[in-house]
Amino acid sequence: MNDSESSVSPDTIAADTAQALLALKAVMVYDRQPFIYTTGWASPVYIDCRRLMSHPRFRRQLMDHAAALLRARLGTTIEVVAGTETAGIPFASWIAERLDLPMVYVRKKSIGWGSNAQIEGDLPAGARCLLVDDLTTDGLSKIGTARALRQAGAQLRDIFVIFNYDVYPQSRRVYAENGFDMHALATWKDVFSLTKALSYFSPTHAQEIKAFLADPVAWSASHGGAGAVAAGKADHG
């Protein structure tokens, strides 16, 4: 990586990430039925970061940005990069290569045998890890994976994703209460700020997304997804 790449500002990184996701049509809007995430939330939009895997130019640009961002924030404190099964594995691989670090991956569930029943690869005891995934909504799935790494003997404070929804009111609290710092290339604010100029959303969709971003919990509850009760559980999860 050259000096110009390593000095790219967070705002430029966020803008480049948003532009890449929009160019790849990775920002999708529901037609008849809202998207229901694995955490139970209903949403009018879905961010498909996995599309980056198939497009080398955008993939290379964003992985270079990821490495630069992580170097600037974490220096040389990270000893192992850990990817989540399955979406986090390719992104963790590319980041580990750029940072010249070992990599492991974390299964969603323990396979029940072997010395590393949930962690694949060599994870030295006490190693400081960086957990990598494609995106995060409310943070609950990341907390479970991060706890598995801690239980396996890793030191883990930092989590990295390509895209952080950063709209659910409990997500920041969940990370703070569990002692995790979240790092992301872009958030919904970054993406939505570009869509008007590009006329990416229809006026109807734009209004719907504005309503969702203003109160994602209420929008979810009124469209068949999790609501205030789930948010309360997440606050204490």
Side-chain angles (χ1 to χ4, degrees), residues 21-82:
L21 293 172
L22 292 171
L24 296 177
K25 303 297 182 183
V27 182
M28 297 183 288
V29 185
Y30 83 116
D31 184 12
R32 295 180 179 83
Q33 296 295 324
F35 300 101
I36 304 293
Y37 302 136
T38 55
T39 49
W41 299 108
S43 169
V45 285
Y46 174 68
I47 309 295
D48 187 5
C49 292
R50 302 180 195 205
R51 291 194 177 185
L52 289 167
M53 296 188 296
S54 302
H55 299 271
R57 180 171 67 86
F58 288 120
R59 183 184 74 208
R60 188 179 307 111
Q61 178 191 42
L62 297 194
M63 291 300 94
D64 284 346
H65 281 341
L69 185 73
L70 292 167
R71 283 195 187 99
R73 292 184 180 179
L74 306 178
T76 58
T77 60
I78 297 301
E79 298 172 299
V80 177
V81 177

Side-chain angles (χ1 to χ4, degrees), residues 3-235:
D3 291 339
S4 63
E5 288 175 321
S6 63
S7 60
V8 175
S9 72
D11 287 344
T12 298
I13 289 174
D16 285 348
T17 303
Q19 289 169 0
L21 293 172
L22 292 171
L24 296 177
K25 303 297 182 183
V27 182
M28 297 183 288
V29 185
Y30 83 116
D31 184 12
R32 295 180 179 83
Q33 296 295 324
F35 300 101
I36 304 293
Y37 302 136
T38 55
T39 49
W41 299 108
S43 169
V45 285
Y46 174 68
I47 309 295
D48 187 5
C49 292
R50 302 180 195 205
R51 291 194 177 185
L52 289 167
M53 296 188 296
S54 302
H55 299 271
R57 180 171 67 86
F58 288 120
R59 183 184 74 208
R60 188 179 307 111
Q61 178 191 42
L62 297 194
M63 291 300 94
D64 284 346
H65 281 341
L69 185 73
L70 292 167
R71 283 195 187 99
R73 292 184 180 179
L74 306 178
T76 58
T77 60
I78 297 301
E79 298 172 299
V80 177
V81 177
T84 60
E85 182 189 18
T86 58
I89 293 175
F91 297 112
S93 300
W94 292 315
I95 289 172
E97 187 68 19
R98 282 165 171 77
L99 298 180
D100 194 25
L101 289 173
M103 181 199 149
V104 299
Y105 75 82
V106 189
R107 294 182 180 274
K108 294 177 181 177
K109 295 181 180 180
S110 172
I111 58 175
W113 64 81
S115 58
N116 297 308
Q118 195 165 356
I119 314 298
E120 295 291 349
D122 294 327
L123 178 63
R128 182 169 178 184
C129 283
L130 170 71
L131 179 62
V132 174
D133 206 351
D134 61 337
L135 58 79
T136 184
T137 52
D138 64 2
L140 290 183
S141 64
K142 304 298 176 294
I143 294 300
T145 304
R147 285 174 176 167
L149 280 164
R150 284 180 170 176
Q151 290 170 0
Q155 296 183 53
L156 194 143
R157 181 176 183 85
D158 298 288
I159 302 173
F160 171 83
V161 293
I162 304 298
F163 190 84
N164 178 9
Y165 272 65
D166 200 31
V167 296
Y168 294 99
Q170 75 282 4
S171 59
R172 293 182 182 178
R173 191 178 311 131
V174 166
Y175 287 125
E177 289 176 350
N178 286 275
F180 298 115
D181 291 332
M182 170 57 65
H183 310 277
L185 295 186
T187 67
W188 252 114
K189 178 182 178 182
D190 303 312
V191 167
F192 204 60
S193 67
L194 292 177
T195 57
K196 181 178 289 188
L198 297 173
S199 298
Y200 188 87
F201 299 122
S202 70
T204 300
H205 282 151
Q207 286 300 115
E208 193 73 15
I209 294 167
K210 285 181 180 179
F212 164 72
L213 295 178
D215 193 342
V217 175
W219 197 97
S220 177
S222 65
H223 289 80
V229 173
K233 289 180 179 178
D235 282 344

